[in-house]
Amino acid sequence: MEGNAWSPLLSGGLRAQALEAVQAIATSLSTGEVGPVEADAGSLVGGHAGLAVFFAYLEQAGLASRGSEVAERFLDEAVEAVATQPLPPSLYEGFTGVAWALEHLAGRLFDPDDDDANEAIDEALLEYVSQSPWIHDYDVVGGLVGIGVYALERLPRPEAKALLELVIERLDESAERGPHGVTWHTAPDLLPPSQRDLCPNGYYNLGLAHGVPGVISLLGQACAAGVARTTAEPMLADAVAWLLAQRLPADMSSSFSSWTGPGIERDSARSAWCYGDPGVAAALLGAARCIGEPRWEREALVLARRAAARPTEEARIHDAGLCHGAAGLAHLFNRMSQATADSRLADAAQFWFARALEMRIPGRGIAGFAAREAGGWVADPGILTGAAGIGLALLAAITPIEPEWDRILLLSVRDPARSR
């Protein structure tokens, strides 16, 4: 989402703690204390491509003496993984994510040359997204929206425009249209076993990571870029109408559940990027800014302010990661406060950054940060749930460098005028 020039959020003692944590994460990751990343080397959110992004931003901030060298090493290893391992075509865990990192870091980490390293990726994705009817995921993590995020990063290349147009075509033909608007159904065979047990007929997902808010964000950005706008804009308006019709009763602790559908009992969602009101608010705010719709912006601010005031014990925050942790929640509020100059959101961002730093325990995980999983606490180096993501969020809170890396989270918009 667009806003004023990026400003550091943290100051004083909290800034000093954040800076020390960022430097400790960098030291741990650069010296090999990276946890079980080797098997996931080709992943953007858990592997070497994401670590390259982290070190490139460290270098830009002047906080790593060998930042560019380390970033290039991790990026080379990610590219090697694409060449030697079978990887899916997803943004988060597949070859599309490595290609996104290459594109994003061109001009930041290295000077782009005449040889386009991603031409073969474009060709593969154009063929993949030409499949109709679409029977795969539609979300940002593993599906169409994630491929659209890659296409946005590649604009204004003709291949990128064609790819984004195909993504929108697939979204249009797979949409369900009803009296409340437009939505997308997730079939039961696409669900993990635990969710399939709860929702044997599938569901309509309400989270930014896997659901309709992600489509809303992507369609808004496509409209802003002038790509397939005659299809994308009415679909966007109908998707927003459907989403807003899913609000929970006012006496519940969040405005949206995680998912919905016939026979599914709706409950309050956590407060996070992946699920819950903060992610929904960010998607609505970004889409509102993309097409100039003040009503959606008002709805987004109501959601964001309510989430900012939610009691801590109801937020269900257990670790510090970006996906569903304290640093991720803080970054969401930081991003929205920078876009709106809303002091309540800035206060919430500072609060959750402080909570993230309190979760740092010396000797545990990576630089004191561990990720909570079903089997316990693990050392996670990655962007989405691990140390690199925490470091990026903290870095954005203490420097004037806009965190454009969060395009992969659908939290910021690439200015087409600045595209190569």
Side-chain angles (χ1 to χ4, degrees):
M1 66 201 69
E2 297 178 356
N4 301 320
W6 192 263
S7 300
L9 173 77
L10 302 181
S11 60
L14 198 56
R15 182 190 185 280
Q17 289 182 56
L19 175 59
E20 194 276 325
V22 169
Q23 292 172 326
I25 291 170
T27 298
S28 295
L29 295 178
S30 65
T31 55
E33 188 187 333
V34 295
V37 73
E38 294 301 330
D40 204 22
S43 164
L44 174 60
V45 301
H48 290 162
L51 299 186
V53 172
F54 171 60
F55 279 97
Y57 274 84
L58 273 179
E59 176 74 12
Q60 187 177 353
L63 294 177
S65 60
R66 297 169 45 247
S68 59
E69 176 186 330
V70 177
E72 289 180 8
R73 171 169 60 85
F74 279 128
L75 192 59
D76 287 344
E77 290 169 352
V79 171
E80 178 67 17
V82 171
T84 59
Q85 300 175 13
L87 294 173
S90 63
L91 178 68
Y92 277 29
E93 296 182 347
F95 61 78
T96 302
V98 177
W100 183 93
L102 277 169
E103 184 67 26
H104 187 69
L105 297 181
R108 284 182 171 84
L109 179 61
F110 56 88
D111 292 330
D113 53 33
D114 294 334
D115 294 328
D116 186 354
N118 284 340
E119 281 185 355
I121 301 295
D122 291 348
E123 293 176 6
L125 290 175
L126 283 165
E127 181 179 356
Y128 177 61
V129 182
S130 294
Q131 298 179 56
S132 178
W134 187 257
I135 59 173
H136 310 292
D137 288 307
Y138 72 85
D139 63 355
V140 67
V141 172
L144 285 169
V145 173
I147 294 171
V149 168
Y150 166 75
L152 285 165
E153 198 70 21
R154 295 275 285 166
L155 289 175
R157 292 177 176 83
E159 297 83 1
K161 181 175 181 290
L163 181 58
L164 186 54
E165 288 172 341
L166 277 175
V167 167
I168 292 169
E169 186 178 322
R170 297 288 84 79
L171 287 169
D172 186 46
E173 71 181 19
S174 60
E176 290 188 9
R177 291 170 167 85
H180 296 300
V182 168
T183 188
W184 288 264
H185 184 258
T186 303
D189 60 292
L190 297 176
L191 299 179
S194 60
Q195 292 183 0
R196 196 180 310 137
D197 291 341
L198 293 172
C199 309
N201 298 313
Y203 59 34
Y204 301 94
N205 195 293
L206 302 176
L208 183 52
H210 297 289
V212 175
V215 179
I216 287 170
S217 179
L218 180 74
L219 292 177
Q221 293 185 56
C223 289
V227 177
R229 187 157 185 164
T230 56
T231 300
E233 189 164 358
M235 186 163 46
L236 168 61
D238 288 345
V240 171
W242 181 88
L243 179 66
L244 294 177
Q246 310 310 310
R247 279 176 291 204
L248 294 169
D251 61 349
M252 299 188 74
S253 65
S254 73
S255 296
F256 289 91
S257 59
S258 297
W259 49 72
T260 190
I264 296 174
E265 183 178 355
R266 299 190 302 167
D267 199 1
S268 295
R270 70 201 323 165
S271 288
W273 168 77
C274 54
Y275 288 105
D277 295 354
V280 175
L284 279 176
L285 180 57
R289 291 290 176 89
C290 282
I291 69 165
E293 176 48 78
R295 183 176 64 86
W296 298 354
E297 181 158 343
R298 290 193 294 270
E299 295 278 7
L301 283 173
V302 169
L303 278 173
R305 289 165 180 162
R306 186 185 184 203
R310 190 179 190 185
T312 306
E313 62 274 11
E314 294 181 4
R316 307 212 299 270
I317 300 295
H318 304 295
D319 62 14
L322 285 184
C323 181
H324 44 260
L329 188 53
H331 184 71
L332 277 163
F333 287 128
N334 191 18
R335 173 57 82 174
M336 290 189 284
S337 72
Q338 301 257 0
T340 63
D342 189 298
S343 61
R344 283 170 284 186
L345 302 184
D347 289 344
Q350 292 186 53
F351 172 83
W352 284 106
F353 275 125
R355 294 282 291 190
L357 291 166
E358 289 171 1
M359 293 175 175
R360 187 182 179 202
I361 300 175
R364 187 173 75 169
I366 295 173
F369 292 106
R372 183 177 176 182
E373 295 185 353
W377 296 93
V378 299
D380 183 342
I383 284 183
L384 190 62
T385 56
I390 297 167
L392 282 167
L394 291 171
L395 190 66
I398 60 176
T399 71
I401 298 170
E402 184 175 0
E404 294 175 319
W405 54 265
D406 69 6
R407 293 172 190 159
I408 61 171
L409 302 176
L410 298 165
L411 298 182
S412 57
V413 177
R414 182 170 188 176
D415 182 355
R418 290 163 57 190
S419 301
R420 294 195 306 279

